[in-house]
Every structure is written in structure tokens, then in C-alpha cells.
Amino acid sequence: MEVLIVEQGTLGQYNDNKIRTPKRKRSNFLHHGKEEGSSNGKRISKKRSASSNVVESCENDFSMDELEEDEEIMFLIKARSRKRRSVDCEVMGRDSSKDERVKYELRNTTSKISSSSPPSSSGSSCTSKYTEDNREVYLKCHHCMKEEKKTIVSCSKCKKNSYCIRCIKQWYPHMKVKEVKDLCPFCRRNCNCNACLHSTGVIETPKRDISDRERAQHLECLISNLLPFLKQISQEQVQEIEIEANIRGLSPSEFEIPQTLCFNDERVYCNHCATSIIDLHRSCPKCSYELCLSCCREIRQGCLLDRGEVKFQYRSRGYDYIHGGDPSPDCCPLEASEDHNEPFTEWKANDDATVTCAPKEMGGCGDCMLDLKRILPPDWISNLEVKAKHLLEIFRTEHSTFKHDCAETRKDTLLKAASREDSCDNFLFCPDSRDTLKEEGLLRFKEHWVNGEPVIVRNVLEQANGLSWEPMVMWRALSENMDTASTSQFSKVKTIDCLAGCEVEINTREFFEGYTEGRMYSNLWPEMLKLKDWPPSDKFEDLLPRHCDEFISALPFQEYTDPRAGILNLAVKLPPGVLKPDMGPKTYIAYGLMEELGRGDSVTKLHCDMSDAVNILTHTSEVQLSDEQQSAISRLNKLHRAQDERELMDWMNSLKDGGQPGQQTQDTEALENTLSPEINVELKVPEDEDEDELDGPTTSGSSSTEVAEETGGALWDIFRREDVPKLEAYLMKHYKEFRHTYCSLVERVIHPIHDQSFYLTLEHKKKLKEEFGVEPWTFLQKLGEAVFIPAGCPHQVRNLKSCTKVAADFVSPENVHECLRLTEEFRQLPKNHRAREDKLEIKKMILYAVDEALKDLEALVSTQV
């Protein structure tokens, strides 16, 4: 296996032959054709556990032995070369949704010979042939397009499509043969054959009908929430114009600000802090160095920080070290790190408030005065503010605000997720997906959302069509949607090895086999891999169109989450042609285990997204550990524990010898708290001491057996915004107790949350509550559940099973203030920090969202006059 490593911004690589796949009994995946790199092109296949429910008697026309003669999955790189001969498998173009559905139906009724259906007068659904023109014609399976000489099932509803038993068993394991006979996958609109996977417009997104009154209320809510931030942006611009007027000795109305050339398909960033520039800025006429208004203000105030690059000092210490042994003798010693906020080349404003271009050491020329420039039309922002105020006054005068008194939240829609004392937010809103289609459900969501509380929606996949989210189905769809050159690119994927924290390149087939069967190192320690942001492109809709439609159809509260037309989603308000941020959807596929290993767990480390997000668990697969593996894990855990204590003791001794003043007392206390007895890794949410009498669904107070039975696919910890300062203080105090890249102790902290270097185990969460009184919302995400994460809430996730999640970002009016706060935090980070770039461009979203909402509200008001 080839491992790619990151070392001071460059990629290196090393080979590790000690990683191996567990001995597989039989593969879950069925293949047609030869596997790349296989000597005989065959792999023993394993019958799925659900297959006994798939293949029913079907008049006993076939035997189980025949069903178990499974070929391997057709190797997907060669799949594109196979051409369908029938008309019904052509990929539909991108016309209107109505036209697409009409074409799709017509293509399946074109010809008796090319169709997979028998004559309408056919009797048994298991008949595999019929007579036409005095010759026998075998039926074609709609999925694989092969003439089936054995058993095939025809749909009794459409009488046009048939599916062979092999395809039913392999690609529709959740369906019984009788169900296919009654209503085939094509009629159910969840067929995952290659043609259907690449079609668009077939799935209708279920949307709640919104009246004009509701639409007007949504628009009024959006404008009201954004108006304070619009005023703030306008005020910043006015102040800079006044400064420029004083420099020129003129009044603001007596001079015109020159416009800089900026195309719609480009982003303008500040050369110093990398923040997006939306309108007014200063630019060097000589070297084109550009500076945002925030940096100009900091230069004048003398508080500009150096945002130079920082060196992260992680080095590989070898395979044995990662597993609790001694470091490799040839590993390089660490160099002393330098603080990125040390004094730097002085950059001050002149006495008349003018700003000279940045010194050469900082990327400028240091010669010319920076000129004030604009991107948008003159006074566009100030006029937008005036218009918003005026229209809101008219709307509120002529239209009384509709108030809906919601009934008390039902107990069965609350989920206990914390046991904080003297707190009223221990329970999270957890409605069923059917309730989200009602106006009352949306109003209830808003009540919790405006307070920065996560929301969990159950059974969201029931609102979709049942399209398979099995990773192999998605990979097949992706591979056949690429050209030959791109297809070879997807034969391997770059995943994250959760133990070493490095990129690992692995054969795609092997990765997906490990998803269902598990993988392990040579010492039997589980190998946890995760695949982030897949497919590796921002064109999810183009590469996986049916899955994209399926995901959007499952999204609850689509007024907020619809990535195409959500009325309360600021991200969709950007006009056509303007470069838009990548808000998803994206797929995350990762291995997982119920047991908390303590090191190398399949986790998403603590971090904070700069926008709101919704995450749906679409598929899971449970991997069981053998007794031999359990014993090996127990033995290695002891080695890990001994290594932790040994290295922490060495670190404390180094502090005594020459540590930084004022650190020794705090670090010694942290170390004493760390050197404690064995960790109890039982998966359990703390019990509420008050024993609340609430009959809602809850994970607290459950025994380990009950938790195991009720477990979902992922364990979430989401922290409240008000607890962030204490959370950061805890991490700064205990950072040496955590491991990061190459399983090395965390060497330094730039920002305790944005570094994404920490995952708090059960032990650390317990200490966090004892020392700082902070407890997150902790809950299990089950299959088909959507988790809403408000912007500004730090969160972490551990996968209890192999999981496939699909997530999308959105920007709600209620959380714009958090997006702005996080943007300000990100601009203070070093240049090469992973979170520094302003990818969201929230200020631009605010401007265009207000402009679009004003146009829509004006149109609604005019029609009601």
C-alpha cells in the first residue's frame, strides 16, 4: 500500500507492507468479468445475509444452486465500453423535468424485440422466453440488458420491464421477488441500472406548497435578519469614503471612486488576510496588491497581525511507534517551532491616514500609495439599505405580521442528548420527516434553530424513492459516467488512514470490500479508512444526477436546505454567472466500529463549519471483530497507554529543565489528571441525576446491551456556542494528551478548534465536564436520520459502523452572525492554515440575498394591491 504524507506542505510517500486485509470468507460484491491485477479474474463471492429474503420460491422454477452461481461485478473501468443495443437504455438529455419523464417512458415502449418485456398476454412472471415470428425470443433484463435464459421476473403493472433473479439479488437485496413482480424498480423510480442512474428529471422533489402569505413572511424574515449586517457593511464603506475625502480635501460627493475590472467568474481576495473583497478596497497602481477595508483599519490602528506561514513539525516515526512501540532509530528529531505572531516587518499608515503598499517581504512593492477602488456600481450598497428599510416599513404597515401559536412540543419529538444542570436545552427537537412538511413543523424548527440548537429529523429516506446508496452502486454510476481517461483515475481513491492521519492510496474495489468486511494491520489492529468529499469534484449533480435528485428529495425543511431554490437559503440567492461556493452535496464514506479504540478511531475530529449543514446517514454496514482481534486490541491498548504515560512524563521533565515560565504548574496538573486508571470505553450517554419523567426517545440511562441494540451508525457530539471559550481553554490545557499526524503527540496549537487536531474521547468529555462544567449534546445518528448542525457549533463524529453519509451546506438568515464571526476568526489564521481561506464569501451572499428578496417581496406586494 502506498501512503502519501504531508510534510511542510509537500507530498512525500512511503510503502508500508504491514497493512493487510483480513482473511475474507467470501466477498459481498458480485462481479462480471475480471478484476484488475487478479491472476485468474475470479473472486469467491459471499451470499448476502439478506439474500434469503430476496429469492422466494417463484413457483420453484429455479434452484438455490443456480442462484449462488454468482459472477464477479463487471470491472467498472471496462463498463463504459459496453453499449446497450436497445433504445430504452439511452441516457436522457437535460430537458425539462416533464419532457424527461415522457421520453423515459417512451423509450421503454419502443419495440417488442428491444424491450425487456414479454407480450402483454404473457402468463407467468417467471417465464424467460416467448415466441415471435415462429422463433424463440428470450427476455432481456432491464438492469443488465442480457437475454436471460433461466429465470426472469416481469412487472405486472407496466408489463414492459423485466429483471433477472441475479440482478434482483445483487442490486436490489431489499426487495423480494414478489415485490418486483408487483411493481418493478423502474416503476418505483429507484432502478439503479446504468441508464436510470444517469437520467435526470425522473425524481420529483417533494415540496410543501407555500402560499403567498407564507412566502411574504419568509422574505420579510430574511430581509429583517440581514438588514443589520447590511447596515454594518454600508457603514464600513462610508467610513472609508470619508477617510478618502479627507485625504483629498474634498467632500464625499465631490469625487468619484474608480472601478476596478472584476469578472463574474473570479473572486477578489485580500492579499494579506485572504478575505473576500466585495466592493471597496485599496489597490496598488504599480503591483496590483489589494487590501481589504478590515486590514486598512487595523493598519491605521496599529494592530495588524503577521499572518506568515507556520511550520507544523510532525515526522513519521515508523510503524512500530504508531502501534505503541519505540520510534524508528532513523527518524528525524523535531526542530524548535516558531510562533507565527512574532514581530514582523513594520507596516504603518502615514500621518494623513494614507496606506503605502505592503513591504516586499510581505508581497507588495513598498513604493506606492494604495488607491481606493470599487467593484460594484456607485452607492449600490447604500441604496440597497435605504430600499430595504422602506419596503419593510410598507410591508409591516399594510400586512400585519402573522403569528402562529404552536402547541406545546410533543414529548415524542424530543430526544434527550445532555444532562446539564439548570439547563433547559438538554432535549433536542427530533421530529419525523412527515411532520416537516407541515407549517407547524417548520415553525417549531425555527424556534430551536434560532437558539443555535441542533435538530434531528427521523426517517427522511422515506420521503425519497428508495434509490440504493450502496457505495458500489454509486461507484458503478460514477465510473460509467466518465470517459476512459477519467475512469482509470477512479480505479484508486485517496483515503485518510485514521491511525496515522495520512492519505492512503488504495484500489477502489479493495476500499469498498473493506467497507463491508473490515481491514486490519498485521498485528490485527483494525484499519480505519475514510473517504471524504467524494466524488472528488464540485459537480456531484453532473456525476451522480439521480443520487443528487434522491438526496434533495429526502431533505427536510427545504425552505432552508434546498440547494437549488430554498427561499431561506442565502447560498442560492447569488445571480447566474457569479462564482458560487461549493455547498455540496458531498458524500463521506468511512469504516467504523462500535468499540472506542482510543487511537485510530474512525472519527471526524472537532471542528466548526463556517455555514449551517445538514447530514443524512444513507447507508451502513456493520463489521464484527473476531475474538482474536479483541484480544489483540486489548493487548495493544496497554502498549498505547504505557507509551502515553512515558511520553507525557518525558515532556514534563523537559518543561522542568527549560520550559516556558508559567507553564509548568498548569501542565503538571494536566499530566497528573492524565495518568489515571484504565479508561471505561462503554458507549453511554450520561444519566440525568434528576431522572426526568419524559417519555420521548432517549439514549440516556441505557445499559450497554440496550445501547448496542439501539445503536445507529454514528455518535455525534455537538457543543453549544456559549461553551466555546471553556472548550478552547480545556484543549489548550490538555493538548499534550492528544495525538495527531503519525500518532505523534500534538506539538503546538494555532487554534484549538480550527486546527482539527482533537477528538474528545469519553474520558476527555468526562474531564471537560468535571473541570469546566461543559457537556455537549451527545446522540446516535441512525440510518435515514438527518442531523442539522448550526453554524458556530463545534462538533465531532465517531462512526460506529461503516457509514455512507451525504451532506450539504446552507446559510440560514438566523445564523449569518455566526458566519461573519467565523470569517473574522479565519482571517486571523496563518497563511498556510487549512481553514484560512474565505470560501463562503458571506458578505457577498448578504448583499445579493437582500437584493433578490426585495425584488421578490416587491412582486408579491404589487400583486396584492
Side-chain angles (χ1 to χ4, degrees):
M1 179 174 296
E2 189 177 69
V3 180
L4 303 182
I5 60 176
V6 179
E7 189 170 305
Q8 294 189 359
T10 61
L11 285 176
Q13 52 186 318
Y14 69 90
N15 292 323
D16 190 348
N17 296 322
K18 296 188 179 182
I19 301 175
R20 69 183 178 92
T21 306
K23 211 170 186 181
R24 296 183 174 86
K25 296 178 181 178
R26 305 175 81 185
S27 171
N28 258 357
F29 301 114
L30 314 177
H31 301 281
H32 307 285
K34 294 186 178 181
E35 179 184 356
E36 183 179 36
S38 174
S39 59
N40 56 12
K42 295 183 179 180
R43 184 181 296 270
I44 301 176
S45 57
K46 178 175 70 175
K47 186 174 69 174
R48 295 179 185 271
S49 59
S51 63
S52 59
N53 296 326
V54 174
V55 185
E56 292 191 274
S57 61
C58 194
E59 285 78 348
N60 297 319
D61 285 342
F62 54 89
S63 65
M64 293 302 294
D65 291 334
E66 291 173 335
L67 294 176
E68 291 178 355
E69 294 174 355
D70 298 319
E71 301 174 5
E72 290 204 346
I73 298 175
M74 176 182 55
F75 188 52
L76 296 181
I77 295 178
K78 299 179 180 179
R80 189 173 177 80
S81 63
R82 176 172 61 84
K83 302 292 185 181
R84 289 191 167 188
R85 296 183 178 86
S86 60
V87 181
D88 67 329
C89 63
E90 294 177 6
V91 179
M92 294 187 296
R94 292 181 174 270
D95 298 331
S96 66
S97 297
K98 182 177 180 180
D99 292 341
E100 292 287 359
R101 289 191 296 276
V102 172
K103 289 181 181 180
Y104 199 61
E105 297 292 347
L106 288 175
R107 285 172 181 166
N108 285 273
T109 61
T110 307
S111 163
K112 289 184 179 180
I113 297 178
S114 63
S115 173
S116 62
S117 67
S120 59
S121 60
S122 62
S124 171
S125 65
C126 291
T127 302
S128 63
K129 61 183 178 180
Y130 62 95
T131 302
E132 181 178 294
D133 297 332
N134 297 322
R135 63 185 181 90
E136 290 185 349
V137 178
Y138 288 98
L139 299 180
K140 277 187 178 179
C141 172
H142 174 80
H143 188 105
C144 65
M145 294 307 297
K146 293 181 179 179
E147 290 187 355
E148 183 56 48
K149 296 183 180 181
K150 294 185 181 179
T151 309
I152 193 165
V153 179
S154 298
C155 178
S156 59
K157 180 179 184 295
C158 67
K159 295 181 171 51
K160 293 176 173 47
N161 297 300
S162 301
Y163 289 78
C164 67
I165 297 299
R166 177 176 287 115
C167 285
I168 295 173
K169 176 184 174 184
Q170 180 175 348
W171 299 112
Y172 308 94
H174 59 286
M175 294 184 68
K176 299 179 180 179
V177 171
K178 185 178 184 303
E179 293 174 334
V180 175
K181 175 185 174 182
D182 294 339
L183 195 66
C184 70
F186 180 86
C187 294
R188 296 173 188 265
R189 299 195 182 278
N190 60 22
C191 177
N192 59 61
C193 74
N194 296 326
C196 293
L197 285 177
H198 299 139
S199 62
T200 57
V202 177
I203 298 176
E204 291 185 0
T205 303
K207 296 180 181 178
R208 188 172 66 85
D209 292 332
I210 301 177
S211 64
D212 287 346
R213 173 186 59 79
E214 288 181 82
R215 185 176 296 276
Q217 287 176 343
H218 290 326
L219 294 171
E220 188 270 339
C221 170
L222 188 148
I223 298 171
S224 299
N225 277 282
L226 298 186
L227 184 57
F229 307 111
L230 179 62
K231 290 180 180 178
Q232 181 181 337
I233 295 172
S234 179
Q235 185 61 31
E236 289 176 353
Q237 305 238 39
V238 169
Q239 290 175 357
E240 193 66 25
I241 292 174
E242 290 176 350
I243 291 174
E244 182 69 14
N246 291 333
I247 293 173
R248 299 191 183 193
L250 303 171
S251 67
S253 60
E254 292 178 341
F255 68 92
E256 182 178 345
I257 302 172
Q259 186 172 16
T260 188
L261 184 61
C262 179
F263 298 99
N264 282 339
D265 60 349
E266 68 174 333
R267 292 189 178 110
V268 182
Y269 287 101
C270 174
N271 284 93
H272 185 69
C273 71
T275 300
S276 174
I277 294 174
I278 55 171
D279 188 18
L280 292 188
H281 63 285
R282 292 196 173 269
S283 177
C284 177
K286 179 180 179 180
C287 68
S288 300
Y289 190 95
E290 294 176 312
L291 200 67
C292 69
L293 299 187
S294 296
C295 284
C296 291
R297 182 175 62 253
E298 291 175 355
I299 289 174
R300 296 188 181 106
Q301 295 174 352
C303 60
L304 185 72
L305 293 178
D306 177 20
R307 296 175 177 84
E309 293 187 0
V310 61
K311 295 181 179 180
F312 295 94
Q313 304 292 326
Y314 296 106
R315 298 289 188 276
S316 174
R317 303 184 182 187
Y319 175 87
D320 292 337
Y321 176 81
I322 288 178
H323 292 280
D326 295 327
S328 174
D330 57 349
C331 68
C332 301
L334 294 178
E335 301 173 0
S337 60
E338 299 177 358
D339 192 347
H340 69 285
N341 283 337
E342 287 184 356
F344 66 106
T345 304
E346 192 174 41
W347 189 9
K348 290 185 177 180
N350 300 316
D351 294 338
D352 60 354
T354 57
V355 179
T356 307
C357 185
K360 292 182 179 179
E361 296 83 358
M362 300 176 65
C365 64
D367 295 335
C368 303
M369 297 297 174
L370 299 181
D371 298 332
L372 186 62
K373 295 289 186 71
R374 64 178 174 84
I375 296 176
L376 299 174
D379 302 324
W380 187 77
I381 295 179
S382 58
N383 292 338
L384 190 66
E385 178 190 356
V386 173
K387 185 177 180 181
K389 290 179 181 178
H390 178 67
L391 191 58
L392 282 180
E393 289 176 359
I394 294 177
F395 181 81
R396 289 169 179 171
T397 301
E398 298 181 0
H399 301 78
S400 58
T401 303
F402 177 77
K403 294 185 179 180
H404 190 289
D405 296 326
C406 291
E408 184 178 355
T409 304
R410 303 195 317 268
K411 293 182 178 180
D412 63 346
T413 62
L414 293 177
L415 175 74
K416 185 176 183 182
S419 300
R420 293 180 286 260
E421 297 180 359
D422 302 323
S423 176
C424 60
D425 58 3
N426 289 328
F427 294 88
L428 297 180
F429 183 46
C430 185
D432 188 89
S433 60
R434 291 168 296 183
D435 299 329
T436 66
L437 301 175
K438 306 172 184 176
E439 183 181 4
E440 182 178 344
L442 179 63
L443 294 172
R444 183 67 65 195
F445 169 81
K446 285 188 172 186
E447 289 180 4
H448 295 271
W449 192 245
V450 74
N451 294 325
E453 299 175 11
V455 172
I456 307 161
V457 181
R458 295 170 290 177
N459 304 317
V460 299
L461 296 181
E462 292 182 0
Q463 301 300 323
N465 292 273
L467 186 66
S468 175
W469 286 97
E470 202 170 332
M472 282 299 293
V473 173
M474 300 175 66
W475 182 47
R476 175 165 56 81
L478 180 64
S479 298
E480 291 215 354
N481 204 21
M482 309 294 293
D483 55 35
T484 304
S486 300
T487 300
S488 60
Q489 168 190 345
F490 287 97
S491 63
K492 292 184 178 181
V493 290
K494 290 181 180 179
T495 65
I496 302 297
D497 184 316
C498 296
L499 181 59
C502 301
E503 274 193 344
V504 177
E505 191 172 70
I506 181 175
N507 178 275
T508 307
R509 186 191 303 278
E510 292 181 6
F511 172 78
F512 288 132
E513 286 178 347
Y515 178 90
T516 56
E517 300 174 6
R519 292 175 61 87
M520 68 182 77
Y521 296 92
S522 58
N523 58 8
L524 303 186
W525 186 264
E527 182 187 7
M528 296 287 105
L529 301 178
K530 61 179 181 179
L531 185 60
K532 294 180 61 178
D533 293 342
W534 189 80
S537 167
D538 59 354
K539 298 180 180 179
F540 185 95
E541 184 175 7
D542 295 333
L543 297 177
L544 296 170
R546 278 293 296 277
H547 284 91
C548 184
D549 290 345
E550 183 84 356
F551 172 74
I552 294 175
S553 68
L555 285 173
F557 303 119
Q558 293 196 1
E559 293 86 350
Y560 286 91
T561 58
D562 190 337
R564 297 167 178 166
I567 190 172
L568 292 173
N569 185 0
L570 272 64
V572 306
K573 305 297 182 181
L574 295 173
V578 173
L579 199 59
K580 299 174 177 61
D582 181 13
M583 308 295 286
K586 287 287 186 181
T587 306
Y588 301 84
I589 304 175
Y591 299 177
L593 280 178
M594 175 64 64
E595 294 81 358
E596 184 175 78
L597 300 173
R599 182 182 295 195
D601 285 293
S602 176
V603 301
T604 298
K605 292 187 176 182
L606 187 70
H607 68 289
C608 196
D609 296 323
M610 66 186 307
S611 66
D612 306 305
V614 56
N615 183 298
I616 299 179
L617 181 58
T618 58
H619 185 270
T620 63
S621 179
E622 189 165 7
V623 176
Q624 299 291 344
L625 297 178
S626 65
D627 293 339
E628 184 183 13
Q629 267 192 289
Q630 295 279 12
S631 300
I633 291 172
S634 178
R635 175 180 57 82
L636 290 169
N637 268 327
K638 294 178 181 179
L639 293 178
H640 296 166
R641 188 70 181 176
Q643 185 185 52
D644 291 342
E645 295 185 357
R646 183 172 62 252
E647 293 191 353
L648 284 172
M649 188 64 69
D650 292 342
W651 176 66
M652 187 180 70
N653 291 335
S654 68
L655 285 178
K656 291 179 180 178
D657 295 338
Q660 299 179 13
Q663 263 195 342
Q664 291 187 21
T665 303
Q666 175 179 318
D667 291 333
T668 302
E669 291 177 356
L671 180 61
E672 290 174 353
N673 291 333
T674 302
L675 305 180
S676 57
E678 288 290 335
I679 307 170
N680 176 17
V681 295
E682 180 181 317
L683 177 61
K684 189 174 179 181
V685 179
E687 294 187 18
D688 189 354
E689 295 177 358
D690 296 334
E691 295 184 355
D692 250 323
E693 295 293 332
L694 188 65
D695 295 326
T698 174
T699 57
S700 72
S702 302
S703 67
S704 58
T705 302
E706 292 171 336
V707 171
E709 292 176 352
E710 294 295 327
T711 185
L715 177 68
W716 286 71
D717 296 301
I718 302 180
F719 290 86
R720 300 184 299 183
R721 293 166 180 161
E722 57 264 38
D723 292 332
V724 169
K726 292 181 179 179
L727 174 62
E728 292 180 351
Y730 175 86
L731 294 174
M732 293 301 296
K733 176 181 178 181
H734 295 276
Y735 77 93
K736 272 295 180 181
E737 301 168 27
F738 294 86
R739 293 186 178 272
H740 195 40
T741 308
Y742 304 121
C743 251
S744 300
L745 294 177
V746 172
E747 292 295 331
R748 62 180 305 178
V749 179
I750 305 301
H751 191 285
I753 294 175
H754 303 326
D755 289 356
Q756 299 187 30
S757 299
F758 304 103
Y759 178 83
L760 283 81
T761 61
L762 289 173
E763 180 193 29
H764 276 292
K765 286 187 286 186
K766 180 180 178 182
K767 289 166 63 175
L768 175 63
K769 186 170 185 179
E770 291 173 350
E771 296 178 19
F772 290 86
V774 172
E775 179 185 353
W777 289 293
T778 300
F779 57 89
L780 299 171
Q781 182 186 22
K782 299 178 182 179
L783 183 64
E785 289 187 342
V787 177
F788 283 76
I789 310 102
C793 288
H795 55 282
Q796 62 179 25
V797 188
R798 182 168 74 85
N799 296 311
L800 309 180
K801 299 176 182 178
S802 291
C803 292
T804 299
K805 306 188 193 84
V806 186
D809 298 326
F810 63 98
V811 181
S812 62
E814 294 88 344
N815 291 330
V816 166
H817 65 288
E818 285 297 315
C819 298
L820 288 167
R821 179 184 67 81
L822 288 169
T823 299
E824 182 61 27
E825 284 188 4
F826 291 161
R827 66 180 292 271
Q828 304 294 342
L829 298 173
K831 283 185 179 180
N832 61 332
H833 198 281
R834 64 187 300 171
R836 183 169 183 256
E837 186 180 355
D838 180 14
K839 297 178 181 179
L840 188 63
E841 298 188 280
I842 183 62
K843 290 185 178 181
K844 180 188 290 187
M845 282 189 184
I846 292 172
L847 297 182
Y848 285 114
V850 172
D851 184 50
E852 184 73 16
L854 288 175
K855 294 176 182 176
D856 293 342
L857 188 58
E858 279 182 328
L860 279 176
V861 171
S862 62
T863 58
Q864 297 175 6
V865 174

